[in-house]
Amino acid sequence: MESYIFLVSILCLLVVKVHCRCYKLEESQNQYLTYESSSIDFTESSNFQLSFKTTKANSLLYYSESEYRDDDAPLDYEGLYIYEGILHYFIFNPTIYGGGFSRGAHVKTDKEVNNGTWITVEFFRNKEGLVPGAFSDSNPITMNQTGIIINGDKFAFDGTIDKMDVADQKLYVGGHSELAVRIDKQGKLGGFDGYIDMFKDLKSNTELDPMEPGKLFESKECDRNSPLPLA
Ligand SMILES: *[C@@H]1O[C@H](CO)[C@@H](O)[C@H](O)[C@H]1NC(C)=O
Ligand SMILES: *[C@@H]1O[C@H](CO)[C@@H](O)[C@H](O)[C@H]1NC(C)=O
């Protein structure tokens, strides 16, 4: 009996630990999470993972950007977002003198993800992976890839893309209506409404802790199994 009680308390501790980083974010409150990046190496390459649950068809999930230029726009930025129910990963990285030419990438999936179930997505930039060789009988070759893995399906762009000037910049998870406009100038993207869980840096295999909630990024910790608010 005693060992049973002991086991139950251990399980409860584990459960609390597993659920402690689930956040409920409300679009009406412009809620999002902010992370420091000082311990994350994500300029040359990155590999993140997060889980979310939402019924919203257009929303930002992750965003980071470089410092700003003179004309008040960031040099580089990247975002993971849901657009018309489909996941996209967009990296904007213009050449310094180029007229709009970008060394970035845009990868989209073919799955609708806003069905109110938990979805885990991995997204990566310049991660080495095996791709088929040029001829049917040639061996696979190692190439850098940039893209998304969802439910075991990989959607990727093959080839090394330029480094991003994002060292020591913040990472944003969840909606942020002002940052969403950087990606979608028409303003359709908007904030996030739902739950976010387990934001991880897979390069260091660390689950990240958001900075203390402040006014703009206030959020409530949630129970992973709580139902979504009715849309
Ligand atoms: C992948 O990109 C990194 C820089 O991020 C580079 O050092 C490495 O050589 C690239 N690997 C391949 C196979 O091209
Ligand atoms: C929700 O969407 C995911 C990703 O497209 C899919 O794998 C899953 O089966 C869907 N669930 C339901 C209940 O439709």
Side-chain angles (χ1 to χ4, degrees):
M1 188 62 191
E2 255 174 46
S3 62
Y4 170 77
I5 290 171
F6 178 70
L7 184 64
V8 167
S9 14
I10 292 284
L11 281 177
C12 290
L13 281 175
L14 286 176
V15 165
V16 166
K17 192 146 173 46
V18 165
H19 290 331
C20 69
R21 289 176 178 115
C22 169
Y23 295 93
K24 177 172 187 281
L25 302 174
E26 285 174 36
E27 181 180 33
S28 62
Q29 310 291 316
N30 193 25
Q31 289 174 332
Y32 54 91
L33 302 162
T34 309
Y35 296 78
E36 297 274 22
S37 73
S38 45
S39 62
I40 308 168
D41 166 19
F42 75 129
T43 58
E44 301 257 352
S45 65
S46 66
N47 193 7
F48 295 114
Q49 178 181 292
L50 59 80
S51 301
F52 64 89
K53 176 163 105 167
T54 186
T55 52
K56 214 174 156 248
N58 298 292
S59 59
L60 188 61
L61 286 169
Y62 157 87
Y63 181 87
S64 69
E65 65 183 12
S66 68
E67 283 181 36
Y68 282 46
R69 299 184 306 223
D70 300 343
D71 63 352
D72 209 27
L75 277 167
D76 306 338
Y77 56 84
E78 64 172 355
L80 179 79
Y81 56 92
I82 307 171
Y83 196 79
E84 294 178 350
I86 304 289
L87 267 180
H88 294 244
Y89 184 25
F90 179 67
I91 296 155
F92 181 75
N93 190 349
T95 52
I96 296 166
Y97 307 106
F101 178 68
S102 168
R103 298 163 297 181
H106 182 189
V107 174
K108 67 180 219 179
T109 67
D110 60 4
K111 295 178 201 303
E112 296 221 337
V113 292
N114 60 324
N115 60 11
T117 64
W118 279 103
I119 308 272
T120 297
V121 54
E122 179 182 334
F123 53 106
F124 48 88
R125 174 161 41 77
N126 287 342
K127 180 188 182 185
E128 287 186 348
L130 283 176
V131 304
F135 305 101
S136 57
D137 56 349
S138 56
N139 290 325
I141 51 172
T142 301
M143 276 191 92
N144 276 326
Q145 295 189 300
T146 293
I148 301 173
I149 296 176
I150 172 172
N151 292 344
D153 289 334
K154 191 196 270 185
F155 300 82
F157 163 86
D158 298 334
T160 303
I161 62 172
D162 243 65
K163 97 183 232 248
M164 307 263 300
D165 292 316
V166 286
D168 292 328
Q169 299 297 307
K170 291 187 173 59
L171 306 164
Y172 301 94
V173 168
H176 183 313
S177 46
E178 285 148 50
L179 298 178
V181 173
R182 295 261 186 234
I183 290 174
D184 174 33
K185 308 275 184 283
Q186 266 120 48
K188 189 171 160 186
L189 207 49
F192 176 82
D193 220 11
Y195 298 90
I196 299 268
D197 195 359
M198 307 274 222
F199 180 45
K200 278 190 189 168
D201 174 27
L202 294 182
K203 279 176 80 176
S204 60
N205 199 23
T206 324
E207 188 171 342
L208 304 171
D209 276 317
M211 293 161 62
E212 284 302 301
K215 191 167 180 284
L216 267 176
F217 45 94
E218 188 179 349
S219 65
K220 286 176 238 140
E221 294 199 4
C222 67
D223 174 353
R224 214 171 189 274
N225 301 313
S226 48
L228 278 174
L230 293 175

